[in-house]
Amino acid sequence: MSIRLRLDKPWRPLAAEEVARLPGQLGVYQVGDAQGRVLFIGQAGARSPFGLRSELQRELAERGAGCQFRLEVNQQYRSRWFELLMVHQADHGRLPPDNAENPPPNLGRLSPS
Amino acid sequence: MDFEPSSEQQMLIDQVRRYVREEIIPLEAKLDPDASELPPEDFKRLTDKTKAMGLFGIDIPREFGGPDIDIVTRVLLAIEMAQHRAGLYVPCYGTFGGAGLAQIFEANEGQKERYLYPTLRGEKKAFFGLTEPSGGSDPARAIQTRAERRDNGWVLNGAKIFISNADRAQYGIVFARTDASKGRGGITCFIVDSDTPGFHVRRVVHTLRSSHYATELEFKDCWVSDHQVLGEVNKGFAVANDRLTRQRIPYAAGCIGVAIAAHEMAVEWAKMRSTFGEKLANRQAVQWMLVDNEIDIRTARHFTLEAAEKARRGLPFRTEAAIAKLTASEGGGRVVDRAMQIHGGMGMTKDLPLERWYREMRIRRVGEGPSEVQRMVIAREILGSNLR
């Protein structure tokens, strides 16, 4: 059984019509720049009124045009969010820039193979 | 046995109950429903408070600066500490501190200086590395991680799974096979620093729980010195086994606390909610669910206190701990399930803590020895210890 650690789905444009089609489910997402560099790893948790859709709508409103996103519907949104942050840190030696500004406390360390 | 709390115990119970209701529950309003951590500033403020209450490090023996609270009283307090949304696994979000790993108290003086004392001061965290992908209920046979003698030390190769805190810990206790020809007599306990080359935390293991996750570990030519052996070579299994048995009693207490909180919610809801022109509380179907809740809670409480009392008096308590763990995890799960049923659709939502407790209670039927293993332990007592 292969276990996928990294969120490697294709990027989609962070645009109103794309975001409006998203499910109102729990999960995790990444926002990237036009070159596909990850800017932020976020989660749509139980406090998000319409789950992934409302989180990405907020991202679009704050960032404007020119960004991309990819997501994963996931009931274990918190542990998966922590895992994605730790994997990014292991791969790049640092958190995505927008997470580095406000990192979660006590984030652990992974050394994924 | 008399299980009514003494006046001193009742005073401590009331103190912890007030703390949970006045300090912990209001904070949860601003946390994600699955969060198991407080913001650092709240955590600091509340740990200062539990220190002022004289209840910080509740499991730490007096000789190491702890409050030296006996296990019966600790069970009574654990029942109170679990009565909030994140009650299981991280009672009061860890603001009462913890003793670290029980095995480290058995370390030699050099190891205590390096690991135990910094842990008690909150400077280091530890993980407990026993379970492997090959199985967790029968660790004596399932341990395939090997440690081989080399260069005045040992080289570890293997894997562990379902290990909590390994990604955040500075060190861990790792059980490895040092003599392949022996079963439980061929296992040694090692202290492994997290920055040791060859030690890897490979991934998060996602389960029903969403926040307090476990990890998968790999040891690849991971060299540790002779000084890192905890206890004696080939005598590590006794260390693990003793810990697993003792841990079952407070583990059961946490289940009881959550069951009490869920039951109280169900009682309140049944008195308030009307369907088809009648309060739920007036319906026999609901009354009987509440009666069954009450019986499950009282049964688990009785057996858990019985196990704690035997442990306190220095009497054998293996069977009693198994009965406590079994009745509390299974009975507590049934209580939460009934409370969800009484709440209807609202019980399924993350607006209420019931769905979180439901998931966490389900895990408690497996963790710390599944129900079937507890029954096996009890059956051996009934049928004789030579039963195979």
Side-chain angles (χ1 to χ4, degrees):
Chain A
M1 183 178 63
S2 70
I3 293 162
R4 190 166 44 80
L5 274 183
R6 293 168 180 84
L7 211 174
D8 52 7
K9 293 182 180 177
W11 289 105
R12 298 153 70 175
L14 185 61
E17 60 277 15
E18 193 79 32
V19 171
R21 288 200 295 267
L22 293 177
Q25 288 172 296
L26 307 176
V28 292
Y29 63 90
Q30 292 177 334
V31 176
D33 64 13
Q35 286 72 44
R37 282 189 293 262
V38 176
L39 301 172
F40 182 68
I41 299 172
Q43 56 164 312
R47 289 280 163 78
S48 306
F50 291 95
L52 287 159
R53 190 192 318 151
S54 48
E55 286 304 313
L56 269 303
Q57 282 171 336
R58 183 186 52 73
E59 295 284 354
L60 174 63
E62 290 175 5
R63 295 174 188 275
C67 289
Q68 310 180 79
F69 75 96
R70 52 190 177 188
L71 58 80
E72 180 182 298
V73 173
N74 197 321
Q75 295 296 309
Q76 282 75 35
Y77 57 95
R78 281 186 69 82
S79 58
R80 181 65 171 134
W81 180 59
F82 289 128
E83 182 175 60
L84 286 175
L85 289 170
M86 288 188 279
V87 168
H88 187 97
Q89 188 152 263
D91 287 348
H92 302 278
R94 60 187 181 280
L95 289 173
D98 295 352
N99 293 106
E101 289 175 11
N102 187 23
N106 304 318
L107 187 68
R109 301 170 308 276
L110 288 187
S111 49
S113 46
Chain B
M1 289 178 185
D2 178 13
F3 293 140
E4 283 307 305
S6 66
S7 57
E8 190 181 346
Q9 285 171 330
Q10 190 59 54
M11 194 182 70
L12 288 171
I13 290 169
D14 292 342
Q15 196 177 10
V16 172
R17 185 172 297 167
R18 271 198 308 277
Y19 176 84
V20 169
R21 297 190 179 182
E22 292 172 10
E23 302 286 355
I24 298 296
I25 292 173
L27 272 183
E28 292 187 322
K30 65 180 180 184
L31 294 178
D32 183 282
D34 278 346
S36 288
E37 283 188 325
L38 298 174
E41 61 277 11
D42 289 324
F43 182 76
K44 168 81 170 57
R45 178 175 59 80
L46 292 181
T47 52
D48 287 346
K49 195 154 236 173
T50 58
K51 284 173 187 170
M53 288 159 63
L55 292 173
F56 188 80
I58 204 166
D59 295 332
I60 300 173
R62 176 171 289 174
E63 62 183 298
F64 298 107
D68 204 33
I69 295 174
D70 69 86
I71 187 167
V72 174
T73 309
R74 277 191 275 133
V75 161
L76 293 169
L77 298 186
I79 289 171
E80 295 301 320
M81 288 157 70
Q83 292 184 39
H84 60 102
R85 195 175 68 196
L88 284 167
Y89 296 102
V90 206
C92 297
Y93 299 88
T95 58
F96 283 90
L101 303 173
Q103 295 74 24
I104 291 287
F105 289 104
E106 307 302 321
N108 63 41
E109 205 46 48
Q111 292 169 338
K112 282 179 182 167
E113 287 290 340
R114 189 167 169 184
Y115 299 105
L116 175 62
Y117 302 133
T119 305
L120 297 183
R121 290 195 296 268
E123 296 161 7
K124 284 190 175 180
K125 288 181 182 168
F127 68 85
F128 183 76
L130 177 66
T131 303
E132 302 206 358
S134 51
S137 292
D138 182 14
R141 294 174 183 81
I143 288 177
Q144 294 179 7
T145 296
R146 292 183 180 276
E148 294 173 357
R149 287 291 285 154
R150 199 187 302 167
D151 303 331
N152 296 322
W154 301 83
V155 175
L156 274 61
N157 279 287
K160 300 284 176 184
I161 197 165
F162 301 124
I163 310 301
S164 297
N165 300 320
D167 58 315
R168 303 172 182 195
Q170 284 72 40
Y171 71 95
I173 293 176
V174 176
F175 295 84
R177 194 166 291 286
T178 37
D179 187 338
S181 68
K182 295 175 183 169
R184 62 183 58 198
I187 294 165
T188 301
C189 187
F190 296 91
I191 307 174
V192 179
D193 289 297
S194 298
D195 57 1
T196 307
F199 169 72
H200 304 283
V201 184
R202 289 302 192 197
R203 68 179 177 108
V204 171
V205 183
H206 302 283
T207 65
L208 291 175
R209 292 159 75 186
S210 181
S211 52
H212 188 77
Y213 51 81
T215 57
E216 182 176 308
L217 314 182
E218 184 186 48
F219 301 88
K220 210 168 180 179
D221 293 329
C222 177
W223 184 86
V224 293
S225 76
D226 282 329
H227 301 300
Q228 304 295 96
V229 173
L230 181 61
E232 294 179 46
V233 172
N234 289 336
K235 292 189 177 172
F237 185 72
V239 174
N241 209 25
D242 182 63
R243 185 256 189 193
L244 291 176
T245 303
R246 284 184 182 280
Q247 188 58 25
R248 283 171 187 159
I249 300 174
Y251 200 82
C255 297
I256 297 166
V258 162
I260 289 171
H263 181 47
E264 284 180 358
M265 285 176 63
V267 170
E268 287 304 310
W269 186 262
K271 286 188 200 170
M272 188 183 76
R273 182 75 158 180
S274 293
T275 58
F276 304 100
E278 190 83 64
K279 296 283 186 202
L280 290 182
N282 290 336
R283 300 188 183 284
Q284 191 182 53
V286 173
Q287 290 171 359
W288 286 16
M289 281 196 269
L290 295 174
V291 169
D292 289 343
N293 278 359
E294 187 74 24
I295 292 169
D296 274 330
I297 290 167
R298 289 191 190 209
T299 304
R301 187 176 181 279
H302 176 90
F303 286 130
T304 303
L305 285 170
E306 182 187 29
E309 176 63 13
K310 284 212 163 181
R312 187 187 69 80
R313 290 163 59 187
L315 299 171
F317 62 91
R318 178 181 297 274
T319 304
E320 288 75 11
I323 294 172
K325 198 273 178 183
L326 183 70
T327 53
S329 59
E330 295 209 338
R334 288 192 297 267
V335 170
V336 172
D337 183 71
R338 292 186 201 107
M340 285 182 91
Q341 192 69 14
I342 290 168
H343 278 80
M346 282 307 295
M348 317 293 147
T349 69
K350 285 184 180 290
D351 294 357
L352 300 179
L354 292 167
E355 70 85 33
R356 174 179 177 142
W357 292 336
Y358 182 81
R359 290 182 284 122
E360 296 199 334
M361 278 296 203
R362 182 62 188 85
I363 292 172
R364 291 241 157 172
R365 282 167 51 199
V366 172
E368 216 68 30
S371 296
E372 292 71 22
V373 167
Q374 308 310 324
R375 288 189 166 92
M376 197 170 76
V377 170
I378 301 162
R380 280 181 181 154
E381 168 75 14
I382 297 168
L383 296 166
S385 57
N386 293 328
L387 181 70
R388 286 286 172 194

